[in-house]
Amino acid sequence: MKGNGTWRIWLIGVMALLQAACAGLHPLREGADQAVYVVARPDAAGLAARHAPVFVVGGQNQPANRIGTPAARLDEAGRSQIFVDPATPTVYFQEQSFSTAQGTYTNLIYRVHFPEVPFSLVPLQLTAGKNVGLLVVITLNDRQEPVLVTTLHTCGCYLAIIPTSFLPAAAYPADWRADGQRIYGVTLPGRLVFDAGVAPRLNVEIAVRDGDHRVADVRPLGADATPTGSPARDLILRPMADLTELPLDGGASTSFFEEQGSRRGYVKGSQKPIERLLMGWWALDLHVGEDKALGPTEETGVVLYTSLKPWARCQSDLWHFADFLRYWGWKL
């Protein structure tokens, strides 16, 4: 009985800490310290540029809150060090096709990284760590209309799937609430309504909070819509494959991701000690919360799962998007 009581006390303590982390959440603070990141030449040919999301990020007076470029350098011992350079903002892109019983779709996958989520005890910053990132997936139908907008951190957490007015209601999960969805303390839209007839360019604006880099809002932008806030910063668009070949002095290169060992496929330097302590034991994953590569597991070495249930890792793998949608109740 004494052992059971100790277990309950420990579990209650962990839940209290997690609640404290959520209690410290704040909305995006609008003001002069925001910046709007827009892909350079957004009207250029190609789906990647035409549908690239616009990022509105708070706290630009702190380098940790600026979208940067993953980079590498050699230390005094000649070993490579990975960091995210906040001086130059870059968004990485790849395209993926998938098919379901309803049709064929195209995923436009965008990835950005920040130098770090700084440590904080009050409020508890659960996701504190370096080289952290966000993924935005724009799912197009066969008419190149966006039907889903999916956002999550590059560790797989804080997943939000938002349907648009181009997706038939029959494809929604049962009991879906179009008036909004609650994602760990943040309310995001339950549906995005685009104006008819604004194709081929249909974008979304992603509002990102300072500090923890949580997605605070998502809104549609039509062809004539302008992003919120100022000043604007050009976001360089690069292929996702560039992350595996970061240049080093002397003409060499190295990957943004670990290439061998128990951390193969994880972002170098992306340890999350607080998440490991509080969640690793019950999630059965000592690397819980660490940022990862996205791709086939046999190539990356990791599963970018989006459910903390250990038995649901393969079904909730973002890369296998049709299975991922089915797991979360979508009927595309």
Side-chain angles (χ1 to χ4, degrees):
M1 295 294 292
K2 183 177 180 180
N4 290 339
T6 302
W7 173 261
R8 291 192 187 95
I9 292 172
W10 168 250
L11 185 58
I12 291 171
V14 169
M15 294 305 297
L17 284 171
L18 294 177
Q19 288 294 330
C22 288
L25 299 177
H26 57 80
L28 181 71
R29 292 187 287 263
E30 296 186 6
D33 63 342
Q34 283 186 353
V36 180
Y37 293 84
V38 182
V39 167
R41 297 176 63 238
D43 295 316
L47 292 175
R50 289 208 308 270
H51 292 284
V54 172
F55 295 90
V56 179
V57 188
Q60 295 297 290
N61 56 324
Q62 298 295 325
N65 295 317
R66 298 172 195 161
I67 294 176
T69 298
R73 60 192 169 204
L74 296 176
D75 63 15
E76 295 180 353
R79 295 168 300 196
S80 62
Q81 292 182 327
I82 298 298
F83 64 102
V84 174
D85 181 2
T88 305
T90 298
V91 57
Y92 295 87
F93 169 81
Q94 69 186 113
E95 186 174 318
Q96 175 196 46
S97 296
F98 68 97
S99 297
T100 69
Q102 306 303 317
T104 299
Y105 302 88
T106 300
N107 275 345
L108 308 179
I109 305 171
Y110 301 88
R111 180 173 187 141
V112 296
H113 276 269
F114 300 87
E116 66 175 324
V117 169
F119 171 78
S120 172
L121 188 59
V122 181
L124 177 65
Q125 191 53 271
L126 192 67
T127 60
K130 295 184 179 299
N131 303 336
V132 296
L134 286 176
L135 283 164
V136 178
V137 183
I138 310 295
T139 302
L140 306 180
N141 60 19
D142 57 5
R143 295 182 297 278
Q144 296 187 357
E145 297 165 334
V147 294
L148 288 176
V149 177
T150 301
T151 67
L152 69 161
H153 288 213
T154 51
C155 59
C157 57
Y158 301 126
L159 169 70
I161 304 172
I162 308 175
T164 78
S165 49
F166 295 111
L167 184 69
Y172 290 24
D175 302 322
W176 183 258
R177 294 191 57 175
D179 59 341
Q181 55 181 308
R182 193 76 170 161
I183 309 295
Y184 293 99
V186 175
T187 300
L188 294 178
R191 185 171 180 261
L192 300 176
V193 179
F194 283 95
D195 294 334
V198 296
R201 186 181 165 204
L202 294 166
N203 304 78
V204 293
E205 180 182 276
I206 309 291
V208 181
R209 290 190 321 204
D210 60 296
D212 57 8
H213 310 141
R214 291 281 306 275
V215 173
D217 196 10
V218 180
R219 75 182 188 99
L221 292 175
D224 299 324
T226 56
T228 301
S230 62
R233 298 194 64 188
D234 282 345
L235 196 56
I236 301 169
L237 184 67
R238 291 184 179 175
M240 199 77 73
D242 283 5
L243 287 171
T244 62
E245 296 183 352
L246 304 182
L248 285 166
D249 292 340
S253 65
T254 188
S255 177
F256 190 50
F257 310 102
E258 298 284 359
E259 297 178 272
Q260 57 187 355
S262 63
R263 292 195 74 253
R264 177 173 170 245
Y266 289 91
V267 172
K268 293 175 180 176
S270 177
Q271 286 80 3
K272 302 289 181 66
I274 300 176
E275 287 194 76
R276 175 182 291 189
L277 175 65
L278 297 181
M279 301 172 60
W281 56 279
W282 59 264
L284 302 182
D285 183 4
L286 292 179
H287 299 300
V288 66
E290 296 181 10
D291 300 81
K292 307 173 184 178
L294 174 63
T297 302
E298 58 271 20
E299 295 180 13
T300 65
V302 291
V303 176
L304 208 160
Y305 63 81
T306 55
S307 170
L308 283 171
K309 298 174 182 177
W311 57 88
R313 286 178 185 165
C314 290
Q315 299 98 307
S316 68
D317 183 0
L318 185 72
W319 181 251
H320 298 289
F321 207 77
D323 294 338
F324 159 86
L325 290 176
R326 191 177 305 112
Y327 174 79
W328 289 109
W330 295 90
K331 307 178 188 69
L332 270 70

